[in-house]
Amino acid sequence: MKIFAWIGLPLVVVIAGCKSTPPVNGHVVPEAHLTGGQFAQSDPNRMATLELRDNLAALYLLMDKLYKRNPHQWAKSGAVSREAAEAQVRDAIDHRKPLPGLGELRDIKAMSRALDPDFQGDRVAALIYGTADMLVTAHGGKQNLYLLDGLDAQRVYNAARNVEIAMWRLAQSKDSQGQPLLVSNELSEHDRNLSFERLFGGIVGRTDLVAEFTAEKYRRSAINYLQSFVGGQFLQFIPVQAVMPAS
């Protein structure tokens, strides 16, 4: 009992130290509530689930910002309002069904269509829907991953590259009059708005991290096993009198 108390003491100190760190400008680390489903997730499963959750949230924020800067686009969707247009896109993503106006186009085909100068539909909806569908597809077609689900590291890595391409094409694509197909970042002597680039960059960073982590998962499993074995042997041979004098 005394050994467990001594071993647990540093852990308590570390946890207390972490919780005492003040947030910057009131922003605290986002933490999902514990659910029953988390007990069926490995650490890599959980990491990929959180990554995809945050990436979709970033895409929905991008959609809202793009609609505000390109208000004529949502009207092309047939929705009665910007909010209704956004809800229509979210529903198609969450239920993995075709988006009205795109036919059966999904994934990178929908992304490419959104930035095609000849496309007459809602470019914002097509870009966000296509990018989200591409990311979900790269994660095995699921937004929540569990123990029996695996990830292909190369597919996830490729998805990050596709987001980079979309970011570049969004900034470069223009119509026949030389005007941007979609207004996003703004750089001028009076204004500097790079919020779109930052959001895209966050998606790329999170996706790359999961790709690299997934590529190392079997190596990490072996290392974790070795660490637990060595740790068990270490605890087995600790001289009790040396660390906790008898009372």
Side-chain angles (χ1 to χ4, degrees):
M1 183 64 69
K2 291 181 179 180
I3 293 178
F4 287 121
W6 174 78
I7 293 173
L9 181 60
L11 180 61
V12 173
V13 173
V14 170
I15 292 176
C18 290
K19 288 187 176 297
S20 66
T21 303
V24 176
N25 297 328
H27 296 289
V28 298
V29 178
E31 184 177 355
H33 295 294
L34 179 65
T35 62
Q38 292 182 31
F39 291 100
Q41 291 180 318
S42 64
D43 289 347
N45 291 153
R46 188 63 186 158
M47 184 177 181
T49 296
L50 292 176
E51 168 251 328
L52 190 53
R53 180 202 68 181
D54 290 349
N55 282 345
L56 291 178
L59 283 174
Y60 295 147
L61 180 55
L62 277 166
M63 174 168 60
D64 187 64
K65 294 169 71 68
L66 283 169
Y67 270 143
K68 288 177 179 177
R69 299 212 70 184
N70 303 269
H72 59 288
Q73 290 295 328
W74 68 258
K76 298 179 182 179
S77 68
V80 296
S81 66
R82 174 171 54 82
E83 292 77 11
E86 292 181 7
Q88 184 172 263
V89 175
R90 285 172 175 255
D91 182 66
I93 293 169
D94 287 340
H95 294 92
R96 304 220 72 205
K97 61 184 183 182
L99 183 71
L102 282 178
E104 296 299 319
L105 294 181
R106 310 180 65 124
D107 205 319
I108 58 175
K109 292 183 179 179
M111 297 169 69
S112 294
R113 187 64 172 151
L115 298 173
D116 181 346
D118 295 328
F119 181 51
Q120 299 301 313
D122 183 346
R123 296 184 185 278
V124 173
L127 179 62
I128 299 302
Y129 169 79
T131 305
D133 191 65
M134 182 270 300
L135 287 171
V136 174
T137 298
H139 289 71
K142 299 179 179 180
Q143 292 190 29
N144 294 282
L145 285 85
Y146 297 99
L147 288 172
L148 296 180
D149 298 320
L151 273 183
D152 184 326
Q154 189 62 53
R155 292 186 72 184
V156 177
Y157 183 81
N158 291 348
R161 306 288 72 75
N162 285 334
V163 175
E164 287 179 333
I165 293 170
M167 178 171 58
W168 183 86
R169 289 191 60 186
L170 176 64
Q172 300 297 322
S173 298
K174 295 179 171 55
D175 61 18
S176 57
Q177 282 75 45
Q179 297 301 312
L181 294 178
L182 286 174
V183 178
S184 55
N185 290 319
E186 184 174 359
L187 285 172
S188 69
E189 57 180 312
H190 303 294
D191 297 293
R192 185 178 180 84
N193 181 353
L194 296 175
S195 58
F196 295 89
E197 186 172 306
R198 286 195 295 271
L199 285 168
F200 273 118
I203 295 173
V204 171
R206 284 186 291 269
T207 307
D208 269 339
L209 179 59
V210 166
E212 293 183 34
F213 185 79
T214 301
E216 291 188 7
K217 66 179 180 180
Y218 296 114
R219 185 192 316 161
R220 291 306 311 172
S221 295
I223 292 173
N224 290 340
Y225 174 79
L226 181 61
Q227 288 174 338
S228 64
F229 176 78
V230 172
Q233 295 299 309
F234 173 73
L235 291 177
Q236 181 178 350
F237 294 106
I238 289 179
V240 176
Q241 292 82 1
V243 296
M244 182 62 69
S247 57

